[in-house]
Each structure stands twice: as structure tokens, then as C-alpha cells.
Amino acid sequence: MPKLQGFEFWRNTLRGAHYVVAPMVDQSELAWRLLSRRHGAQLCYTPMLHAQVFVRDANYRKENLYCDVCPEDRPLIVQFCANDPEVFVQAALLAQDYCDAIDLNLGCPQMIAKRGHYGAFLQEEWALLQKMILLAHEKLSVPITCKIRVFPEIDKTVKYAQLLEKAGCQLLTVHGRTKEQKGPLAGVASWEHIKAVRKAVGIPVFANGNIQYLSDVEECMQKTGVHGVMSAEGNLHNPALFEGRNPVVWEMTEEYLEIVHQYPCPLSYVRAHLFKLWHHTLQVYQQLREELAKAKTLEGIADVNRDLKLRCQEEIANQKEGEKPKGGLPFFHWICQPYVRPGPKEMCKENGTSGSEGGMRGKRALEDEDDGNSDILSKNKQKKKLRNPNKRFDPSLKPKYAKCDHCGNPKGNKCVFNLCRGCCKKRAFKETADCPGHGLLFKTKYEKSLLWKSGQTEMQEIERTQKGDVEETAGLKEGIDAVL
């Protein structure tokens, strides 16, 4: 069949999906996708997968995609992060038979994306992105889509979107925040940027940002003219968001755990989902937070859910008529509802710091500090400091590793090819060479095998000679006996 493109692809393959669950690392796994689909989601994305790891690691492919095949889980788009056209296409070719489209992540704003040089940190490299999408569009049997963040300038954002469309992108998801808008600095997503992109391109556009209720979805589609709306945080706090319902948290938990029994996933994923789903309730029942963190099995987590259910039902039974939710919440804490992330000022008040200082430092202040003697440390680094009072966090003190010439991983200090172990092993095998630094002895073993084979040949020659001598002696003896 010919590859469908643009609106034809959206209408037929994606069935005109309007309600979309975003790609979320360790959070949009199969079990959660199925739960979301049961409650109104029409299209789901896999968690972001690393193209390079997907190509080289069969177990990674199996754990993250090949084992997650389920007829109910369609239409499905697989998302990759990548910064190399060839690697991206190789990964996409391995995944295309298990999905309806391949998405290139150009929206991740996290520090790990900056270090790995992917996601939103590629948005200035237009020539590279054009090459990646063009090659994927030519080689793949399924359409290529992209998820982007906006630039501060609307005009530049529009040109960016048009470039991706021209290169072969068949569907564009626009997150209306810049790459700097994250954590407590997230702020409000700009629907004006999304609206401008929608008007400027001739392919379907999905909007992402500011979605907390079904009414937000409808308002976004009306104001921007997009064809679908994607939800991440809103979906995690209320998987029934696209149904327009706000169920009790234990009901969603019970249904999710049933699906996990059928389609298992790491316990860390389950725990992370419940920390989101129970966010408001765990502010009231702090002990349940500790019990959830300590639970080692699904049964243990189910026990914590039953405890939470009993406590909430008891609270409901003792509720006074006309009582309103506390803490400024729109609903009582046991009901699925959005979590509004506090801004820099609220975060500073909680931490006891001034607004200007907190605004300057942001959520991950130490990520960008030059010295390791700051008075304000992240919770994680405070714990490390307690374990080791002499611990310093000065980036200049960190060891510098030379990079592999092929893949960018740290290379072996004594490698004869100046490569990491993985790349060295492939080259040494291909060239039948040794690398003592990595303990790879392909040449030595090959020479030993040749010596062993030549030794075996000599032994066989000696045996044949000895056998011939014995036969000759026996023949002479028989001749002498006949004469006598």
C-alpha cells in the first residue's frame, strides 16, 4: 500500500484522533496507554526511546516495544530522540512494523537532553533536522511526525514548522512553551504560537500545553484551530480527562493495577503513576506515601490502595454538610484532578528564599553553578553531603573523559583504536585485530587456531606415515613366511 500523508494519514490511519496521550519517559507504557484508551484517549505515543540504544541493544527493543504488542493499543506512534540521520533511520526501520508512525522528539527541554544533544536542543540546527526528516521520509514505510517547542518569536516558530513540513513531516505537535519554560518556570503555554503554526502549514497540527480538563481541550481546539490536543501532566493526574470525568483515585488505581497484572511493567513505573494519581491525597495521609515507597510487589501496592480507600471513605462518612475542599482545590483530595505546579515565587516561599534569588536559581540551580560551595543544594545533593561531608560539587573537579570517535561514549584510555568498548569490539572483530586495553584478542586467538589446525595436520601426517610403515612391515613378514 502507498504511504498515506498529511490529512489522509490523520483521517484514515489515526482515525481522525482528537484526544492524544503524550510520550512520557517511563510513564506512557502499555498498561497506562490501555487505561487512557478505555477512558477516551484516541491516540497514544510510546515513551521516548533512544535511537542509538534501540539500534544496538536487542533487549532494549524487546523490553520497550516488541513485548508491548497489543491489538487494543492502536493507533500508536513510536517516539525517538536522535541527533544522527543514519542512526535515527536505522532505529525507525526496526520499529516501523510495530506502529503507525515514527515521531522525532524535538521538544524535550531537560538537562539530560542538553547533555545528549537531542530534543529541544536541536531546534537551532535546521540543516541537520531537515536531513534527518528527509531521509526518514524517503526510507520508512510509515509517516514521520515531529513534536516541537516554540521559539519566543512567533515568526521564527512558523518558519521552523514550515521547514519541518517541507522536509517531509506529516503531522506536527506544537508544545506552546520554549525550552527554557520547565519546572517551576513553566508558566502558561502560548496558544498564539500554536494558532500561527496551524495557519501556516498544510499538515495536521496537535496542540500541547495548558490542558487540565476536557473543557480546556475544547477551548484550545476552538481558539487555535488544531486537529487534536495532547495531554501529559493532565492525563497523569486524571486518566479519565478525555471522558470529562473526575473519578475517585482508588477506582482508577484498581483498574490500572488489573491491566498491569495482564501487561506487566517495572514496579517503579507503577509507583511513579500512583504518586501522581494520589498527589493531593498523599498531602493529607503522609504515612501512605512512605508505605507506597516501601512496597516491593503489586500486591503490596494494592494493599496500600485499599488502606487509602478505607481512610477516604471514612472521611467521606464523617463529612459535614456543605463542607468545601481544603487547600484551594476544586475537588476533594480523593478525586482525580489536576496539579498546578507552583511558580518561582511560591517555590521560594516554601523554601524560605527571596523571590529574586529563587527566580535566578530555578529548580535545578546546581546544574549551572561553577563552584561547589553554594549554600543552597538540591535535596539529592544534601543527602550526598550528609553521607560524605567532604563531598564537593564543583564541575571543574569532575573527571574529563575523552569521547569515542564513533558514538560519543567515553573511550578506553588504552584502546588502540581510540574507541569505546562496544565500537572497539566491532572493529577488532571486523579487522581480526587485538586491543589489549579492552582485553580483546581476536588476532591472537585466530593465530592460535591456525597453529592448532597446522599441528593437527602434522599429527595426521605422522599417523599416516606410521600406519604405512606398519603395513609395509606386515607385508614383508607375510612374504618371508610364505617363502619359508
Side-chain angles (χ1 to χ4, degrees):
M1 289 180 62
K3 182 166 63 174
L4 299 182
Q5 299 183 8
F7 286 100
E8 195 177 4
F9 158 66
W10 174 67
R11 286 193 209 94
N12 298 316
T13 306
L14 302 186
R15 304 166 196 167
H18 297 303
Y19 304 149
V20 186
V21 175
M24 298 173 281
V25 175
D26 297 346
Q27 297 280 266
S28 57
E29 84 287 355
L30 176 60
W32 190 260
R33 297 198 300 266
L34 293 178
L35 177 69
S36 300
R37 289 180 191 276
R38 289 183 185 183
H39 295 282
Q42 298 167 337
L43 169 64
C44 292
Y45 284 64
T46 66
M48 181 193 75
L49 305 176
H50 289 259
Q52 194 174 81
V53 183
F54 197 84
V55 169
R56 72 169 183 244
D57 192 335
N59 286 332
Y60 184 79
R61 295 195 291 272
K62 185 178 178 183
E63 291 167 6
N64 290 281
L65 185 62
Y66 294 175
C67 281
D68 282 356
V69 176
C70 174
E72 298 172 55
D73 189 34
R74 301 299 278 268
L76 177 69
I77 296 179
V78 173
Q79 187 187 70
F80 286 107
C81 67
N83 55 23
D84 181 288
E86 295 294 338
V87 172
F88 175 52
V89 170
Q90 286 176 38
L93 288 169
L94 291 168
Q96 66 179 357
D97 293 337
Y98 298 84
C99 62
D100 298 291
I102 298 294
D103 186 77
L104 177 60
N105 183 336
L106 300 175
C108 182
Q110 302 305 327
M111 188 58 63
I112 191 171
K114 184 176 182 179
R115 294 193 193 106
H117 192 54
Y118 60 79
F121 297 94
L122 292 178
Q123 67 178 175
E124 296 285 357
E125 301 188 31
W126 291 12
L128 172 63
L129 295 181
Q130 196 169 20
K131 185 178 179 182
M132 290 175 73
I133 295 164
L134 188 63
L135 188 63
H137 180 57
E138 290 174 355
K139 299 287 185 181
L140 300 181
S141 62
V142 295
I144 176 77
T145 69
C146 297
K147 184 173 185 290
I148 66 171
R149 284 198 169 221
V150 300
F151 290 96
E153 307 84 7
I154 291 180
D155 289 347
K156 189 173 182 180
T157 303
V158 167
K159 289 178 182 176
Y160 181 40
Q162 289 173 330
L163 174 133
L164 298 176
E165 178 190 13
K166 189 177 179 181
C169 176
Q170 302 303 316
L171 184 149
L172 192 63
T173 301
V174 184
H175 188 156
R177 294 183 175 93
T178 65
K179 70 175 185 293
E180 290 77 26
Q181 288 181 276
K182 58 182 179 178
L185 303 176
V188 178
S190 169
W191 286 357
E192 287 301 315
H193 282 71
I194 299 172
K195 182 180 179 180
V197 170
R198 165 68 188 93
K199 286 182 177 179
V201 299
I203 55 176
V205 175
F206 290 163
N208 184 208
N210 303 346
I211 305 302
Q212 297 179 342
Y213 302 97
L214 184 59
S215 57
D216 296 329
V217 175
E218 293 163 352
E219 183 184 357
C220 180
M221 292 181 71
Q222 183 180 359
K223 287 187 175 180
T224 62
V226 293
H227 305 89
V229 172
M230 178 182 284
S231 174
E233 287 280 332
N235 167 262
L236 290 176
H237 287 279
N238 179 14
L241 181 152
F242 291 127
E243 278 185 325
R245 286 198 312 124
N246 295 86
V248 292
V249 293
W250 61 82
E251 176 190 311
M252 288 289 97
T253 303
E254 288 168 357
E255 188 174 354
Y256 174 59
L257 292 178
E258 284 178 12
I259 299 173
V260 172
H261 273 290
Q262 188 177 358
Y263 299 100
C265 65
L267 204 65
S268 60
Y269 294 10
V270 178
R271 196 180 287 113
H273 277 301
L274 299 192
F275 276 127
K276 292 277 189 183
L277 205 55
W278 298 352
H279 176 84
H280 300 293
T281 299
L282 293 178
Q283 307 304 310
V284 178
Y285 302 116
Q286 293 284 341
Q287 185 184 350
L288 293 180
R289 179 186 295 277
E290 295 177 13
E291 291 179 13
L292 175 59
K294 291 176 182 176
K296 302 296 182 186
T297 62
L298 280 179
E299 290 70 23
I301 290 177
D303 290 340
V304 179
N305 185 53
R306 280 189 285 272
D307 191 1
L308 177 143
K309 180 179 178 180
L310 289 171
R311 293 189 189 206
C312 291
Q313 287 178 335
E314 185 178 345
E315 189 177 340
I316 293 169
N318 296 328
Q319 202 173 21
K320 295 177 183 178
E321 189 176 348
E323 188 175 340
K324 293 184 178 180
K326 297 176 183 177
L329 296 177
F331 305 104
F332 290 101
H333 63 80
W334 55 80
I335 292 174
C336 292
Q337 58 192 295
Y339 164 62
V340 180
R341 198 185 295 272
K345 291 182 180 179
E346 289 88 343
M347 289 287 288
C348 293
K349 287 176 184 176
E350 289 177 16
N351 297 330
T353 57
S354 67
S356 59
E357 182 187 356
M360 289 295 290
R361 302 184 75 82
K363 184 179 178 184
R364 301 282 183 190
L366 279 165
E367 297 274 7
D368 303 316
E369 284 183 358
D370 293 327
D371 63 348
N373 298 315
S374 173
D375 295 331
I376 299 176
L377 297 176
S378 67
K379 289 181 180 179
N380 189 33
K381 290 182 178 177
Q382 286 175 21
K383 289 177 184 177
K384 291 181 180 179
K385 196 80 172 176
L386 283 173
R387 290 196 296 268
N388 180 8
N390 297 319
K391 179 78 173 176
R392 291 178 61 81
F393 301 101
D394 186 349
S396 65
L397 298 178
K398 290 183 179 179
K400 305 292 183 183
Y401 296 105
K403 291 185 178 180
C404 169
D405 294 343
H406 282 185
C407 68
N409 287 328
K411 72 174 184 180
N413 290 331
K414 298 180 181 179
C415 178
V416 296
F417 300 117
N418 291 320
L419 302 174
C420 67
R421 180 175 174 80
C423 297
C424 176
K425 188 174 182 180
K426 290 176 185 175
R427 181 167 173 181
F429 177 78
K430 187 177 179 180
E431 298 181 7
T432 317
D434 287 349
C435 177
H438 282 124
L440 302 173
L441 305 172
F442 292 108
K443 182 180 179 182
T444 302
K445 289 179 180 178
Y446 177 68
E447 289 174 349
K448 283 184 178 179
S449 69
L450 290 178
L451 285 173
W452 182 82
K453 285 180 181 177
S454 63
Q456 288 290 103
T457 305
E458 289 177 7
M459 287 294 293
Q460 289 172 359
E461 287 292 331
I462 292 169
E463 287 176 4
R464 278 198 293 270
T465 303
Q466 288 177 346
K467 188 176 179 181
D469 291 343
V470 169
E471 288 176 354
E472 187 178 347
T473 304
L476 287 171
K477 188 176 180 182
E478 285 176 6
I480 292 167
D481 288 342
V483 171
L484 294 173

